[in-house]
Amino acid sequence: MDSDSLAPTMPAGAVGSESNLVGTKPRSATVRVGVIGYGYWGPNIVRNFHGLEHCEVVAVCDKSPAALKRAARSYPGILLTTDFAEVLRSPDVDAVAIITPVWTHFDLAKEALENGKHVFVEKPFTSTSAQAEELVELAERKNLRIMVDHTFLFSGAVRKIRELVDNGTLGPLYYYDSTRVNLGLFQHDVSVLWDLAPHDLSIMDHLIVEKPEAVVATGSNHLNHLADMAFITVYFPNNVIAHFNVNWLSPVKVRTTLIGGRDKMLVWNDLDPDEKIKVYDKGVNITKRESVYDLLVSYRSGDVWGPKVDATEALKVELEYFIDCILKERTPSNDGAAGLRVVRLLEAAEQSLQARGQLVRL
Ligand SMILES: NC(=O)c1ccc[n+]([C@@H]2O[C@H](COP(=O)([O-])OP(=O)(O)OC[C@H]3O[C@@H](n4cnc5c(N)ncnc54)[C@H](O)[C@@H]3O)[C@@H](O)[C@H]2O)c1
């Protein structure tokens, strides 16, 4: 279970009311999806796929009979199975969504692709970059889509920030600095780095066009052998820098990102329900610099504004895009290559963390 949440605002019981829609959509322009994994995150995936036009959830698979019982209550009539091979090999399934722990992603995705299915797979894409490379190559060879669930890219906040970066409002970027901390939820199979940092690394990858050059990470573990707090720094060309603080041992939940540009700076507080983004017309100008000891700076402090942020559930936007990419044979922006870039950064950060902050070049 990811300790972060773009979790639904809908009451859990609400999903069942739509179940009579299953199977009523036209076959020709419908993508039939099988979902593997109905633990914490899986129900959100099924609920959102289920509400989409041009999509039919035909099967849910989980090794746990208790999980399938929950699915049966919400979606009577859907094929429920504990055997993933039944879904991966079914001719009635066009695409498979893999919502299981990270160490299972590679084997499940590989088998799905080998059986001609498009793949939606949870973050982080895979446990190693070699696995991610193999899947990207396999999907290309089979002309199949891979989409990696980098959910935040589809949130109204990140879409708005991307707009502000793209239209030059912020000016050239100086830094990206995010804090994603809370108490728990401890994972038994991955560290806080592999659990929470994929969110921030995928957002950074989406906003900063330059290729990262090097990574430094420090961190520590206090309760088992997996890091429960980590500080990651990513270096880019032209002194652009990104920093991430991820921590499962924080007494309070914080989801705040600062993005500094030459012309404007912004604060994104994802926990603020009304004003998630505030843009500050603040900055520093060097007005005269005759020598390094004669630095004249002036500070600019202008208006603050809060752009409107679309409140549509990010997963809905993302899954709609997945279906659209399949039907129109388009490559999604959060494809296997994007997932691979994030896994490469995680591997480098892990290597640096193990070496107590040694610089790892990318
Ligand atoms: N995008 C996000 O914001 C977000 C949020 C939460 C979790 N996640 C990701 O979702 C994935 C699952 O996380 P979770 O919190 O739901 O985990 P979970 O442990 O709550 O659920 C995983 C489910 O998969 C089932 N499962 C495991 N292996 C299986 C197999 N081979 N065949 C069939 N079923 C199998 C388990 O029985 C369990 O019910 C992880 O990769 C996690 O990083 C993403």
Side-chain angles (χ1 to χ4, degrees):
M1 185 188 296
D2 189 320
S3 60
D4 206 352
S5 71
L6 278 171
T9 46
M10 249 170 112
V15 289
S17 59
E18 289 179 65
S19 56
N20 59 346
L21 294 180
V22 169
T24 61
K25 290 160 196 145
R27 276 276 141 125
S28 52
T30 296
V31 176
R32 297 161 304 168
V33 180
V35 178
I36 319 277
Y38 198 80
Y40 163 71
W41 196 239
N44 296 325
I45 301 290
V46 176
R47 172 175 55 80
N48 276 288
F49 269 134
H50 193 46
L52 292 182
E53 233 186 301
H54 309 303
C55 174
E56 184 185 342
V57 181
V58 290
V60 171
C61 165
D62 198 297
K63 283 200 301 199
S64 152
L68 291 184
K69 240 185 200 170
R70 281 190 288 120
R73 275 198 296 275
S74 299
Y75 305 98
I78 284 183
L79 169 72
L80 300 171
T81 175
T82 52
D83 179 10
F84 70 88
E86 211 178 323
V87 179
L88 300 190
R89 293 182 195 148
S90 164
D92 295 329
V93 171
D94 306 306
V96 166
I98 297 166
I99 323 297
T100 52
V102 57
W103 57 271
T104 66
H105 291 178
F106 173 70
D107 288 339
L108 291 171
K110 189 173 173 192
E111 193 162 346
L113 292 167
E114 278 168 347
N115 282 282
K117 316 295 184 203
H118 302 285
V119 166
F120 179 87
V121 58
E122 265 316 316
K123 63 84 199 158
F125 183 20
T126 51
S127 304
T128 69
S129 52
Q131 292 176 339
E133 280 162 13
E134 191 177 329
L135 294 180
V136 167
E137 191 273 324
L138 179 59
E140 252 170 42
R141 190 153 35 86
K142 295 240 174 197
N143 191 25
L144 293 164
R145 316 284 149 240
I146 295 179
M147 180 181 277
V148 180
D149 184 10
H150 292 158
T151 326
F152 275 96
L153 305 188
F154 298 86
S155 66
V158 173
R159 285 186 282 132
K160 177 56 73 178
I161 294 170
R162 172 73 189 251
E163 194 184 305
L164 296 170
V165 171
D166 283 357
N167 68 17
T169 301
L170 302 183
L173 293 186
Y174 285 165
Y175 65 86
Y176 180 102
D177 185 11
S178 91
T179 304
R180 188 178 296 275
V181 304
N182 45 260
L183 195 62
L185 299 167
F186 273 79
Q187 308 292 299
H188 51 87
D189 58 338
V190 285
S191 69
V192 73
L193 181 72
W194 285 78
D195 185 46
L196 291 188
H199 293 306
D200 301 294
L201 293 172
S202 61
I203 299 166
M204 175 199 81
D205 176 69
H206 186 62
L207 296 176
I208 302 179
V209 274
E210 282 92 358
K211 279 201 174 114
E213 291 177 331
V215 175
V216 165
T218 53
S220 200
N221 55 305
H222 301 89
L223 299 159
N224 60 16
H225 65 288
L226 298 166
D228 42 46
M229 53 198 299
F231 309 98
I232 308 146
T233 304
V234 182
Y235 294 96
F236 289 87
N238 304 317
N239 297 337
V240 177
I241 191 164
H243 179 258
F244 311 96
N245 172 1
V246 286
N247 184 351
W248 282 330
L249 289 179
S250 161
V252 291
K253 181 168 179 171
V254 181
R255 295 287 184 269
T256 302
T257 302
L258 303 177
I259 302 179
R262 187 197 59 197
D263 301 338
K264 302 251 187 330
M265 301 179 180
L266 71 77
V267 180
W268 164 30
N269 177 2
D270 206 43
L271 301 184
D272 188 326
D274 303 319
E275 282 201 316
K276 285 197 187 300
I277 298 173
K278 286 189 186 131
V279 183
Y280 291 79
D281 184 10
K282 287 194 178 194
V284 179
N285 299 323
I286 306 293
T287 49
K288 189 179 167 204
R289 187 179 180 179
E290 280 163 5
S291 79
V292 75
Y293 303 107
D294 184 19
L295 194 69
L296 288 179
V297 292
S298 66
Y299 298 96
R300 191 182 69 257
S301 189
D303 291 341
V304 184
W305 60 287
K308 189 169 159 40
V309 168
D310 179 14
T312 311
E313 187 179 350
L315 256 185
K316 177 176 187 280
V317 180
E318 183 179 27
L319 295 180
E320 206 159 25
Y321 177 52
F322 177 61
I323 298 300
D324 201 53
C325 285
I326 291 174
L327 291 175
K328 296 185 179 148
E329 298 193 15
R330 288 195 184 140
T331 304
S333 54
N334 52 328
D335 62 353
L340 169 61
R341 291 196 294 275
V342 169
V343 172
R344 281 201 180 119
L345 286 163
L346 288 168
E347 272 182 343
E350 182 72 48
Q351 190 188 332
S352 176
L353 191 151
Q354 295 305 331
R356 294 198 153 207
Q358 209 172 64
L359 185 88
V360 174
R361 294 196 183 279
L362 293 160

